[in-house]
Amino acid sequence: MTRTVTGPTGHVVVVGAGLAGLSAALHLLGAGRRVTVVERGAVPGGRAGLLDRGGYRFDTGPTVLTMPDLADEAFAAVGERLRDRVELLPLHPAYRARFADGSVLDVHTDPAAMEAEVERFAGAREAAGYRRLRTWLTRLYAVQMRRFIDANFDSPLGLLTPDLARLAALGGFGRLDARIGRFLRDERLRRVFSFQSLYAGVAPARALAAYAVIAYMDTVAGVWFPRGGMHALPRAMAAAAVDAGAALRLGQTVTRLERSGDRVTAVVTDQERLACDAVVLTPDLPAVHRLLGRRPRRPLRLRHAPSAVVLHAGTTRTWPELAHHTLSFGAAWERTFDELTRTGTLMTDPSLLITRPTAADPSLAPEGRHTHYVLAPCPNTDIGPAAEHWADLAPGYRTRLLATLERRGLTGLAAAIEEECLVTPADWTALGHAAGTPFSVAHTFAQTGPFRPRNLVRGTANAVIAGCGTTPGVGVPTVLLSGKLAAARITGGRR
């Protein structure tokens, strides 16, 4: 049995209406708790926010939706279905990969379509390797999901199950790039199945092979886009929570927690005092620690994932070679990861994620216009330029980024921009994200599973943490799970 909150839990205040907080709220409501959700923003969503500018609607957070069944699980807790609230559009292809040598690969989640595409791209031997890789990814996911990802840990001893041996037998504790290399020899293909480790904050050469489970989500389970943008998901979750009885307090900033002994007795905002029996805290970890008045003891300082510069561009035209999601790879690879995670320098030959939401939903822009989202990974402020330096760096970086995109085929991009917003580590810092990164604590071995910051707070009997800084980690599926796991700590509910 895992540890749970002790004492009364009738009324729970959830701090933060992002995906983690809303997931926790729905699971708590389903277990019969009274729930109040407090959000500093004017709308729900947290990191999955919305920017409305000149008739263009930009998602300010994640743009890739995988594993929607995890969101459906939160809706099901209150007797609802995701599909009744949100229309999900499957993306075919899930990604388009464009390489420095001019070659192009469409990444399909259908096995026959992807096998044929790999054979066209790199030959029959690589297609056979892809078949074996897909089988391995599926087995890896089956072993990890319920035991290591959708699980609360009280200590590392919780890892000692038969599934640990199965994970080891699958090579999960080897290195990601080496394991992918056993199936695929083509370096371009290996990138497609290993670049995801960047969002976990670790280079493929150093990431555990177990993190190929993210590639399973992307390349096997499927990629979707909610009509209305990613922000439609938290909007729908908030509406379902309110319909199930939750109180939603928007535009209120939590200033402090009232305590009596080892219990939080009230959440105090800049507008009111909310008495509570338990609290779920979803802000970034430094904000959580400030509210709690203490930091957990760790022998080593937390390491954070790389950050990103994001260009939101509303344009008068688009480029047909772009899919909904396009990976634009530079020629460099290992050097890129060294720059992002070791030397702290801006990418000299960048690999970029370009998302074109209007490919699936033209209503996100004025008629005949298009939205483009360009994500350029960059070092976080712990190892790279400090937040205060980005005011000087941003204009030149924007110019170089647009020049790179134009060289790679998006001719006329700069001239086509009508509305734009450039987001840098300075902006992430202003939002309270540690190390100026929206990707939170990196998934090194020492910060994974039971070694990641726990969701139960030592010394506080009725506070639980949710969000990307705690278990299970970074990404939409795992953040949704973090809310579910936080709720289980309060309700004692089974996984």
Side-chain angles (χ1 to χ4, degrees):
M1 291 292 291
T2 56
R3 291 172 52 211
T4 57
V5 164
T6 58
T9 59
H11 178 216
V12 183
V13 173
V14 177
V15 178
L19 293 173
L22 293 169
S23 173
L26 289 168
H27 284 287
L28 288 164
L29 289 161
R33 301 310 192 270
R34 185 164 65 92
V35 176
T36 301
V37 182
V38 184
E39 166 60 43
R40 68 180 177 180
V43 295
R47 279 175 168 85
L50 176 70
L51 175 65
D52 197 329
R53 183 169 291 184
Y56 293 94
R57 294 165 58 84
F58 301 106
D59 284 314
T60 60
T63 62
V64 179
L65 178 62
T66 60
M67 310 296 290
D69 55 301
L70 297 176
D72 197 37
E73 194 176 358
F75 282 96
V78 294
E80 293 212 30
R81 298 182 302 180
L82 169 64
R83 64 179 177 270
D84 291 337
R85 294 269 185 179
V86 181
E87 182 185 358
L88 292 183
L89 308 171
L91 299 185
H92 304 297
Y95 294 93
R96 176 167 293 153
R98 302 182 65 86
F99 299 93
D101 64 1
S103 58
V104 178
L105 173 79
D106 278 354
V107 179
H108 298 282
T109 51
D110 175 78
M114 186 59 179
E115 185 177 337
E117 176 71 351
V118 171
E119 184 166 352
R120 176 201 67 79
F121 182 79
R125 186 178 65 183
E126 293 297 90
Y130 162 74
R131 284 199 304 272
R132 297 196 309 275
L133 172 61
R134 187 182 177 101
T135 299
W136 178 73
L137 290 172
T138 303
R139 293 174 63 197
L140 189 74
Y141 172 79
V143 167
Q144 286 193 75
M145 185 60 181
R146 290 296 168 186
R147 186 66 68 179
F148 300 113
I149 300 174
D150 186 7
N152 276 316
F153 290 100
D154 291 329
S155 82
L157 296 177
L159 289 172
L160 301 179
T161 72
D163 281 329
L164 184 68
R166 296 185 185 102
L167 182 58
L170 286 170
F173 297 106
R175 295 302 174 194
L176 176 62
D177 62 345
R179 179 57 57 169
I180 298 296
R182 292 192 176 193
F183 302 101
L184 301 170
R185 295 188 183 183
D186 189 292
E187 191 266 347
R188 299 165 301 171
L189 286 173
R190 293 203 301 268
R191 290 190 188 191
V192 168
F193 291 94
S194 63
F195 81 91
Q196 297 89 348
S197 73
L198 173 63
Y199 302 112
V202 187
R206 300 198 303 276
L208 291 177
Y211 281 111
V213 73
I214 311 174
Y216 168 87
M217 296 174 182
D218 277 357
T219 66
V220 177
V223 178
W224 281 262
F225 184 70
R227 189 176 296 281
M230 287 289 288
H231 186 68
L233 177 58
R235 282 202 311 270
M237 293 175 73
V242 169
D243 287 350
L248 181 59
R249 303 284 206 273
L250 297 173
Q252 295 195 26
T253 300
V254 173
T255 57
R256 62 189 177 90
L257 305 177
E258 284 186 8
R259 301 173 68 109
S260 176
D262 64 355
R263 297 188 72 81
V264 175
T265 55
V267 173
V268 181
T269 78
D270 53 2
Q271 298 178 34
E272 62 182 315
R273 176 186 181 274
L274 300 165
C276 64
D277 297 310
V279 62
V280 177
L281 303 168
T282 72
D284 218 29
L285 289 178
V288 167
H289 296 152
R290 283 194 299 272
L291 288 172
L292 291 169
R294 63 186 300 275
R295 295 171 58 92
R297 294 190 301 273
R298 288 183 68 90
L300 297 174
R301 183 184 178 189
L302 287 174
R303 284 180 53 192
H304 289 84
S307 184
V309 173
V310 176
L311 174 65
H312 301 285
T315 61
T316 57
R317 58 165 294 194
T318 190
W319 292 262
E321 60 265 37
L322 294 177
H324 187 106
H325 295 297
T326 300
L327 298 164
S328 176
F329 289 109
W333 188 239
E334 291 183 7
R335 185 180 82 221
T336 294
F337 281 98
D338 278 343
E339 290 167 343
L340 292 172
T341 64
R342 290 189 169 181
T343 64
T345 51
L346 300 179
M347 289 186 292
T348 50
D349 184 15
S351 289
L352 309 168
L353 170 64
I354 307 163
T355 296
R356 181 170 59 121
T358 42
D361 186 355
S363 72
L364 295 170
E367 187 173 356
R369 303 299 200 257
H370 303 271
T371 59
H372 297 87
Y373 164 109
V374 181
L375 185 147
C378 71
N380 64 45
T381 57
D382 279 346
I383 68 166
E388 57 269 23
H389 294 157
W390 272 99
D392 294 328
L393 288 172
Y397 191 84
R398 173 193 176 276
T399 299
R400 293 197 302 276
L401 183 60
L402 288 173
T404 297
L405 291 166
E406 298 222 13
R407 282 197 308 273
R408 295 182 185 179
L410 304 191
T411 308
L413 172 59
I417 295 175
E418 280 191 328
E419 296 283 350
E420 69 175 287
C421 177
L422 188 74
V423 184
T424 74
D427 300 293
W428 304 124
T429 298
L431 289 171
H433 300 328
T437 173
F439 302 114
S440 193
V441 178
H443 282 264
T444 60
F445 179 78
Q447 295 176 173
T448 293
F451 308 111
R452 199 164 179 82
R454 305 268 175 86
N455 59 2
L456 275 185
V457 178
R458 189 184 301 274
T460 304
N462 63 340
V464 188
I465 300 173
C468 55
T470 185
T471 52
V474 177
V476 172
T478 40
V479 164
L480 289 167
L481 280 174
S482 81
K484 174 189 172 184
L485 295 173
R489 290 288 199 183
I490 292 171
T491 64
R494 297 180 60 189
R495 290 187 291 109

Coordinates of all heavy atoms in Angstrom, one line a residue, residues 102-175:
G102 N 18.2 17.2 -47.7 CA 17.1 17.4 -48.6 C 16.1 16.3 -48.6 O 15.0 16.4 -49.2
S103 N 16.4 15.2 -47.9 CA 15.4 14.1 -47.9 C 14.3 14.4 -46.9 O 14.4 15.2 -46.0 CB 16.2 12.8 -47.4 OG 16.8 13.0 -46.2
V104 N 13.2 13.7 -47.1 CA 11.9 13.9 -46.4 C 11.3 12.6 -46.0 O 11.2 11.7 -46.9 CB 10.9 14.8 -47.2 CG1 9.6 14.9 -46.4 CG2 11.5 16.1 -47.6
L105 N 10.9 12.4 -44.8 CA 10.2 11.2 -44.3 C 8.9 11.6 -43.6 O 8.9 12.4 -42.7 CB 11.2 10.5 -43.3 CG 10.5 9.3 -42.6 CD1 10.6 8.1 -43.5 CD2 11.3 9.0 -41.3
D106 N 7.8 11.0 -44.0 CA 6.6 11.1 -43.3 C 6.5 10.0 -42.2 O 6.7 8.9 -42.5 CB 5.4 11.1 -44.2 CG 5.1 12.4 -44.9 OD1 5.8 13.4 -44.6 OD2 4.3 12.4 -45.8
V107 N 6.2 10.4 -41.0 CA 6.1 9.5 -39.9 C 4.7 9.1 -39.7 O 3.9 9.9 -39.3 CB 6.7 10.1 -38.6 CG1 6.6 9.1 -37.4 CG2 8.2 10.5 -38.8
H108 N 4.3 7.9 -40.0 CA 3.0 7.4 -39.9 C 2.9 6.5 -38.6 O 3.8 5.8 -38.3 CB 2.6 6.5 -41.1 CG 2.6 7.3 -42.4 ND1 1.6 8.2 -42.7 CD2 3.5 7.4 -43.4 CE1 1.9 8.7 -43.9 NE2 3.1 8.3 -44.3
T109 N 1.7 6.5 -38.0 CA 1.5 5.6 -36.9 C 0.9 4.3 -37.3 O 1.0 3.3 -36.6 CB 0.6 6.3 -35.8 OG1 -0.6 6.8 -36.4 CG2 1.4 7.4 -35.1
D110 N 0.3 4.2 -38.5 CA -0.1 3.0 -39.1 C 1.1 2.1 -39.4 O 2.0 2.6 -40.2 CB -1.0 3.2 -40.3 CG -1.4 1.9 -41.0 OD1 -2.3 1.3 -40.5 OD2 -0.8 1.6 -42.0
P111 N 1.2 0.9 -39.0 CA 2.4 0.1 -39.2 C 2.7 -0.1 -40.7 O 3.8 0.0 -41.1 CB 2.1 -1.2 -38.4 CG 0.7 -1.2 -38.2 CD 0.2 0.2 -38.1
A112 N 1.7 -0.5 -41.5 CA 1.9 -0.8 -42.9 C 2.4 0.5 -43.6 O 3.3 0.4 -44.4 CB 0.7 -1.4 -43.5
A113 N 1.7 1.6 -43.3 CA 2.1 2.8 -44.0 C 3.5 3.3 -43.7 O 4.3 3.7 -44.5 CB 1.1 3.9 -43.6
M114 N 3.9 3.1 -42.4 CA 5.2 3.5 -42.0 C 6.3 2.6 -42.5 O 7.4 3.0 -42.9 CB 5.3 3.6 -40.4 CG 6.6 4.1 -39.9 SD 7.0 5.8 -40.5 CE 8.5 6.1 -39.7
E115 N 6.0 1.3 -42.5 CA 6.9 0.3 -43.1 C 7.2 0.6 -44.6 O 8.4 0.6 -45.0 CB 6.4 -1.1 -43.0 CG 7.4 -2.1 -43.4 CD 6.9 -3.6 -43.2 OE1 6.0 -3.8 -42.3 OE2 7.4 -4.5 -43.8
A116 N 6.1 1.0 -45.3 CA 6.3 1.3 -46.7 C 7.1 2.6 -46.9 O 8.0 2.7 -47.8 CB 4.9 1.4 -47.4
E117 N 6.9 3.6 -46.0 CA 7.6 4.8 -46.1 C 9.0 4.7 -45.7 O 9.9 5.2 -46.4 CB 6.9 5.8 -45.1 CG 7.6 7.2 -45.0 CD 7.5 8.1 -46.3 OE1 7.0 7.6 -47.3 OE2 7.9 9.2 -46.2
V118 N 9.3 3.8 -44.7 CA 10.7 3.6 -44.4 C 11.5 2.9 -45.5 O 12.6 3.2 -45.9 CB 10.8 2.8 -43.1 CG1 12.3 2.4 -42.8 CG2 10.3 3.6 -41.9
E119 N 10.8 1.9 -46.2 CA 11.4 1.2 -47.3 C 11.7 2.2 -48.4 O 12.8 2.1 -49.1 CB 10.5 0.1 -47.8 CG 11.2 -0.8 -48.9 CD 10.5 -2.1 -49.1 OE1 9.5 -2.4 -48.3 OE2 10.8 -2.8 -50.1
R120 N 10.7 3.1 -48.7 CA 11.0 4.1 -49.8 C 12.1 5.0 -49.4 O 13.0 5.3 -50.3 CB 9.7 4.9 -49.9 CG 9.9 6.1 -51.0 CD 8.9 7.2 -50.8 NE 9.1 7.9 -49.5 CZ 10.0 8.9 -49.3 NH1 10.9 9.2 -50.2 NH2 10.0 9.5 -48.1
F121 N 12.2 5.3 -48.1 CA 13.2 6.3 -47.7 C 14.6 5.7 -47.5 O 15.6 6.3 -47.9 CB 12.7 6.8 -46.3 CG 13.6 7.9 -45.7 CD1 13.5 9.2 -46.1 CD2 14.5 7.6 -44.7 CE1 14.3 10.2 -45.5 CE2 15.3 8.5 -44.1 CZ 15.2 9.8 -44.5
A122 N 14.7 4.4 -47.0 CA 16.0 3.9 -46.7 C 16.2 2.4 -47.0 O 17.3 1.9 -46.7 CB 16.3 4.1 -45.2
G123 N 15.2 1.8 -47.7 CA 15.5 0.4 -48.2 C 14.8 -0.6 -47.3 O 14.3 -0.4 -46.2
A124 N 14.8 -1.8 -47.8 CA 14.1 -3.0 -47.2 C 14.7 -3.4 -45.8 O 14.0 -3.7 -44.9 CB 14.1 -4.1 -48.1
R125 N 16.0 -3.3 -45.7 CA 16.6 -3.7 -44.5 C 16.2 -2.8 -43.3 O 15.9 -3.2 -42.2 CB 18.1 -3.6 -44.6 CG 18.9 -4.2 -43.3 CD 20.4 -4.2 -43.5 NE 20.9 -2.8 -43.7 CZ 22.2 -2.5 -43.9 NH1 23.0 -3.5 -44.0 NH2 22.6 -1.3 -44.0
E126 N 16.1 -1.5 -43.6 CA 15.7 -0.5 -42.6 C 14.2 -0.7 -42.3 O 13.7 -0.6 -41.1 CB 15.9 0.9 -43.0 CG 17.4 1.3 -43.1 CD 18.1 1.2 -41.7 OE1 18.6 0.1 -41.4 OE2 18.2 2.2 -41.0
A127 N 13.4 -1.1 -43.3 CA 12.0 -1.4 -43.0 C 11.8 -2.6 -42.1 O 10.9 -2.6 -41.2 CB 11.2 -1.6 -44.4
A128 N 12.6 -3.6 -42.3 CA 12.6 -4.7 -41.4 C 13.0 -4.3 -40.0 O 12.4 -4.8 -39.0 CB 13.5 -5.8 -41.9
G129 N 14.0 -3.4 -39.9 CA 14.4 -2.9 -38.6 C 13.3 -2.1 -37.9 O 13.1 -2.2 -36.7
Y130 N 12.6 -1.4 -38.7 CA 11.5 -0.6 -38.1 C 10.4 -1.6 -37.5 O 9.9 -1.3 -36.5 CB 10.8 0.3 -39.2 CG 9.4 0.7 -38.8 CD1 9.2 1.7 -37.8 CD2 8.3 0.1 -39.4 CE1 8.0 2.1 -37.4 CE2 7.0 0.5 -38.9 CZ 6.9 1.5 -38.0 OH 5.6 1.8 -37.5
R131 N 10.1 -2.7 -38.2 CA 9.1 -3.6 -37.7 C 9.6 -4.1 -36.3 O 8.8 -4.2 -35.4 CB 8.9 -4.8 -38.7 CG 8.1 -4.5 -39.9 CD 7.6 -5.8 -40.5 NE 8.7 -6.7 -40.9 CZ 9.4 -6.7 -42.0 NH1 9.1 -5.8 -42.9 NH2 10.4 -7.6 -42.2
R132 N 10.9 -4.5 -36.2 CA 11.4 -5.0 -34.9 C 11.3 -3.9 -33.9 O 11.0 -4.1 -32.7 CB 12.8 -5.5 -35.1 CG 12.9 -6.7 -36.0 CD 14.2 -7.5 -35.9 NE 15.4 -6.5 -36.0 CZ 16.0 -6.2 -37.1 NH1 15.5 -6.6 -38.3 NH2 17.0 -5.4 -37.1
L133 N 11.7 -2.7 -34.3 CA 11.7 -1.5 -33.4 C 10.3 -1.3 -32.8 O 10.1 -1.1 -31.6 CB 12.2 -0.3 -34.1 CG 12.1 1.0 -33.3 CD1 12.8 1.0 -32.0 CD2 12.5 2.2 -34.1
R134 N 9.3 -1.3 -33.7 CA 7.9 -1.1 -33.3 C 7.5 -2.1 -32.3 O 6.8 -1.8 -31.3 CB 7.0 -1.1 -34.5 CG 5.5 -0.7 -34.2 CD 4.7 -0.8 -35.4 NE 3.3 -0.4 -35.1 CZ 2.7 0.7 -35.3 NH1 3.4 1.7 -35.9 NH2 1.4 0.9 -35.0
T135 N 7.8 -3.4 -32.5 CA 7.5 -4.4 -31.5 C 8.1 -4.2 -30.2 O 7.5 -4.3 -29.1 CB 7.9 -5.8 -32.1 OG1 7.2 -6.1 -33.3 CG2 7.6 -6.9 -31.1
W136 N 9.4 -3.8 -30.2 CA 10.1 -3.5 -29.0 C 9.5 -2.3 -28.3 O 9.3 -2.3 -27.0 CB 11.6 -3.2 -29.3 CG 12.4 -2.8 -28.1 CD1 12.8 -3.7 -27.1 CD2 12.9 -1.5 -27.8 NE1 13.6 -3.0 -26.2 CE2 13.6 -1.6 -26.5 CE3 12.8 -0.3 -28.4 CZ2 14.2 -0.6 -25.9 CZ3 13.4 0.8 -27.8 CH2 14.1 0.7 -26.6
L137 N 9.2 -1.2 -29.0 CA 8.5 -0.1 -28.3 C 7.2 -0.4 -27.7 O 6.9 0.0 -26.6 CB 8.3 1.0 -29.4 CG 9.5 1.7 -29.9 CD1 9.1 2.6 -31.1 CD2 10.2 2.6 -28.9
T138 N 6.4 -1.3 -28.3 CA 5.2 -1.7 -27.8 C 5.3 -2.5 -26.5 O 4.6 -2.3 -25.5 CB 4.4 -2.5 -28.8 OG1 4.2 -1.7 -30.0 CG2 3.0 -2.9 -28.3
R139 N 6.3 -3.4 -26.5 CA 6.6 -4.2 -25.3 C 7.1 -3.3 -24.2 O 6.8 -3.5 -23.0 CB 7.6 -5.3 -25.6 CG 7.1 -6.4 -26.6 CD 8.2 -7.3 -27.0 NE 8.7 -8.1 -25.8 CZ 9.8 -8.7 -25.8 NH1 10.6 -8.7 -26.9 NH2 10.2 -9.4 -24.8
L140 N 8.0 -2.4 -24.6 CA 8.5 -1.4 -23.6 C 7.4 -0.6 -22.9 O 7.4 -0.5 -21.7 CB 9.5 -0.5 -24.2 CG 10.4 0.4 -23.4 CD1 11.5 -0.4 -22.7 CD2 11.0 1.5 -24.2
Y141 N 6.5 -0.1 -23.7 CA 5.4 0.6 -23.1 C 4.5 -0.3 -22.2 O 4.2 0.2 -21.1 CB 4.5 1.2 -24.2 CG 3.2 1.8 -23.8 CD1 3.2 3.1 -23.3 CD2 2.0 1.1 -23.8 CE1 2.0 3.7 -22.8 CE2 0.8 1.7 -23.4 CZ 0.9 2.9 -22.9 OH -0.3 3.5 -22.4
A142 N 4.3 -1.5 -22.6 CA 3.4 -2.4 -21.8 C 4.1 -2.7 -20.4 O 3.4 -2.7 -19.4 CB 3.2 -3.7 -22.5
V143 N 5.4 -2.8 -20.4 CA 6.1 -3.1 -19.1 C 6.1 -1.8 -18.3 O 5.9 -1.9 -17.0 CB 7.5 -3.6 -19.4 CG1 8.3 -3.6 -18.2 CG2 7.5 -5.0 -20.0
Q144 N 6.3 -0.7 -18.9 CA 6.5 0.5 -18.1 C 5.2 1.2 -17.5 O 5.2 1.7 -16.4 CB 7.3 1.6 -18.9 CG 8.7 1.3 -19.0 CD 9.4 2.5 -19.6 OE1 9.7 3.4 -18.9 NE2 9.8 2.5 -20.8
M145 N 4.2 1.2 -18.3 CA 3.1 2.1 -18.1 C 2.5 2.0 -16.7 O 2.5 2.9 -15.9 CB 2.0 1.9 -19.2 CG 0.9 2.9 -19.0 SD 1.5 4.6 -19.2 CE 0.0 5.6 -19.0
R146 N 2.0 0.8 -16.4 CA 1.2 0.7 -15.1 C 2.1 0.5 -13.9 O 1.7 0.8 -12.8 CB 0.3 -0.5 -15.2 CG -0.9 -0.3 -16.1 CD -1.8 0.9 -15.6 NE -2.7 1.3 -16.6 CZ -3.5 2.3 -16.5 NH1 -3.5 3.1 -15.4 NH2 -4.4 2.7 -17.4
R147 N 3.4 0.1 -14.1 CA 4.2 -0.2 -13.0 C 5.2 1.0 -12.7 O 5.5 1.2 -11.5 CB 5.1 -1.5 -13.2 CG 5.9 -1.9 -12.0 CD 5.1 -2.3 -10.9 NE 4.3 -3.6 -11.2 CZ 3.5 -4.2 -10.3 NH1 3.3 -3.6 -9.1 NH2 2.9 -5.3 -10.6
F148 N 5.6 1.7 -13.7 CA 6.7 2.7 -13.5 C 6.2 4.1 -13.8 O 6.8 5.1 -13.4 CB 7.9 2.4 -14.3 CG 8.5 1.0 -14.0 CD1 8.5 0.0 -14.9 CD2 9.1 0.8 -12.8 CE1 9.0 -1.3 -14.6 CE2 9.6 -0.4 -12.5 CZ 9.6 -1.5 -13.4
I149 N 5.2 4.3 -14.7 CA 4.7 5.6 -15.1 C 3.5 6.0 -14.3 O 3.4 7.0 -13.6 CB 4.5 5.7 -16.6 CG1 5.9 5.4 -17.3 CG2 4.0 7.1 -17.0 CD1 5.7 5.3 -18.8
D150 N 2.4 5.2 -14.4 CA 1.2 5.4 -13.7 C 1.2 4.8 -12.4 O 0.5 3.9 -12.0 CB 0.0 4.8 -14.6 CG -1.3 5.2 -14.0 OD1 -1.4 6.0 -13.0 OD2 -2.3 4.6 -14.5
A151 N 2.2 5.3 -11.5 CA 2.4 4.7 -10.2 C 2.9 5.7 -9.2 O 3.8 6.5 -9.6 CB 3.4 3.5 -10.4
N152 N 2.5 5.6 -8.0 CA 3.0 6.4 -6.9 C 4.1 5.6 -6.2 O 3.9 4.4 -6.0 CB 2.0 6.7 -5.9 CG 1.2 8.0 -6.3 OD1 1.8 9.0 -6.7 ND2 -0.1 8.0 -6.1
F153 N 5.3 6.2 -5.9 CA 6.4 5.6 -5.3 C 6.6 6.2 -3.9 O 6.5 7.4 -3.8 CB 7.7 5.7 -6.1 CG 7.7 4.9 -7.3 CD1 7.5 5.5 -8.6 CD2 8.0 3.6 -7.3 CE1 7.5 4.8 -9.7 CE2 8.0 2.8 -8.5 CZ 7.8 3.5 -9.7
D154 N 6.8 5.4 -2.9 CA 7.2 5.9 -1.6 C 8.7 5.8 -1.3 O 9.2 6.5 -0.5 CB 6.4 5.1 -0.5 CG 4.9 5.4 -0.5 OD1 4.6 6.6 -0.9 OD2 4.1 4.6 -0.1
S155 N 9.3 4.9 -2.1 CA 10.8 4.7 -2.0 C 11.3 4.0 -3.2 O 10.5 3.3 -3.9 CB 11.2 4.0 -0.7 OG 11.1 2.6 -0.9
P156 N 12.6 4.0 -3.4 CA 13.1 3.2 -4.6 C 12.8 1.7 -4.5 O 12.8 1.0 -5.5 CB 14.6 3.4 -4.5 CG 14.7 4.7 -3.8 CD 13.6 4.8 -2.8
L157 N 12.4 1.2 -3.3 CA 12.1 -0.2 -3.1 C 10.8 -0.5 -3.9 O 10.6 -1.7 -4.2 CB 11.9 -0.6 -1.6 CG 13.1 -0.4 -0.7 CD1 12.8 -0.7 0.7 CD2 14.2 -1.4 -1.2
G158 N 10.0 0.5 -4.2 CA 8.8 0.3 -5.0 C 9.2 -0.2 -6.4 O 8.3 -0.7 -7.1
L159 N 10.4 -0.1 -6.8 CA 10.8 -0.5 -8.2 C 11.0 -2.0 -8.2 O 11.0 -2.6 -9.3 CB 12.1 0.1 -8.6 CG 12.1 1.6 -8.9 CD1 13.6 2.1 -9.1 CD2 11.3 1.9 -10.2
L160 N 11.1 -2.7 -7.1 CA 11.5 -4.1 -7.0 C 10.3 -5.0 -7.3 O 9.7 -5.5 -6.4 CB 12.2 -4.4 -5.7 CG 13.4 -3.6 -5.4 CD1 14.0 -4.0 -4.0 CD2 14.5 -3.8 -6.4
T161 N 10.0 -5.1 -8.5 CA 8.9 -5.9 -9.0 C 9.4 -6.8 -10.1 O 10.4 -6.5 -10.7 CB 7.7 -5.1 -9.5 OG1 8.0 -4.5 -10.7 CG2 7.3 -4.0 -8.4
P162 N 8.6 -7.8 -10.5 CA 9.0 -8.6 -11.7 C 9.1 -7.7 -13.0 O 9.9 -8.1 -13.8 CB 7.9 -9.6 -11.8 CG 7.4 -9.8 -10.4 CD 7.5 -8.4 -9.8
D163 N 8.4 -6.6 -13.0 CA 8.5 -5.8 -14.2 C 9.8 -5.1 -14.3 O 10.2 -4.7 -15.4 CB 7.4 -4.7 -14.2 CG 6.0 -5.3 -14.7 OD1 6.0 -6.3 -15.5 OD2 5.0 -4.9 -14.2
L164 N 10.5 -4.9 -13.2 CA 11.9 -4.4 -13.3 C 12.8 -5.3 -14.1 O 13.6 -4.8 -14.9 CB 12.4 -4.1 -11.9 CG 13.8 -3.4 -11.8 CD1 13.6 -2.0 -12.3 CD2 14.3 -3.4 -10.4
A165 N 12.7 -6.6 -13.8 CA 13.5 -7.5 -14.5 C 13.1 -7.6 -16.0 O 14.0 -7.7 -16.9 CB 13.4 -8.9 -13.9
R166 N 11.8 -7.4 -16.3 CA 11.4 -7.4 -17.7 C 11.9 -6.2 -18.4 O 12.3 -6.3 -19.5 CB 9.8 -7.4 -17.7 CG 9.2 -8.7 -17.2 CD 7.7 -8.7 -17.4 NE 7.1 -9.9 -16.7 CZ 6.5 -9.9 -15.6 NH1 6.3 -8.7 -14.9 NH2 6.0 -11.0 -15.0
L167 N 11.9 -5.0 -17.7 CA 12.4 -3.8 -18.3 C 13.9 -3.9 -18.6 O 14.4 -3.5 -19.6 CB 12.1 -2.6 -17.4 CG 12.6 -1.2 -17.8 CD1 11.9 -0.9 -19.2 CD2 12.2 -0.2 -16.8
A168 N 14.6 -4.5 -17.6 CA 16.1 -4.8 -17.8 C 16.3 -5.7 -19.0 O 17.2 -5.5 -19.8 CB 16.7 -5.3 -16.5
A169 N 15.5 -6.7 -19.1 CA 15.6 -7.7 -20.2 C 15.4 -7.0 -21.5 O 16.0 -7.5 -22.6 CB 14.7 -8.9 -20.0
L170 N 14.5 -6.0 -21.6 CA 14.3 -5.3 -22.8 C 15.4 -4.3 -23.1 O 15.3 -3.6 -24.1 CB 12.9 -4.6 -22.7 CG 11.7 -5.5 -22.8 CD1 10.4 -4.7 -22.5 CD2 11.6 -6.1 -24.2
G171 N 16.3 -4.1 -22.2 CA 17.4 -3.2 -22.4 C 17.1 -1.8 -22.0 O 17.7 -0.8 -22.4
G172 N 16.1 -1.6 -21.1 CA 15.6 -0.3 -20.7 C 16.6 0.5 -20.0 O 16.5 1.7 -19.9
F173 N 17.7 -0.2 -19.4 CA 18.7 0.6 -18.6 C 20.0 0.8 -19.4 O 20.9 1.3 -18.9 CB 18.9 -0.2 -17.3 CG 17.7 -0.2 -16.4 CD1 17.0 -1.4 -16.3 CD2 17.3 0.9 -15.8 CE1 15.9 -1.5 -15.5 CE2 16.1 0.9 -15.0 CZ 15.4 -0.3 -14.9
G174 N 19.9 0.5 -20.7 CA 21.0 0.9 -21.6 C 20.8 2.3 -22.1 O 20.0 3.0 -21.6
R175 N 21.6 2.7 -23.1 CA 21.5 4.0 -23.6 C 20.5 4.1 -24.8 O 20.5 3.2 -25.7 CB 22.9 4.6 -24.0 CG 23.8 4.7 -22.8 CD 23.2 5.7 -21.8 NE 24.0 5.8 -20.6 CZ 23.6 6.3 -19.5 NH1 22.4 6.8 -19.4 NH2 24.4 6.3 -18.4

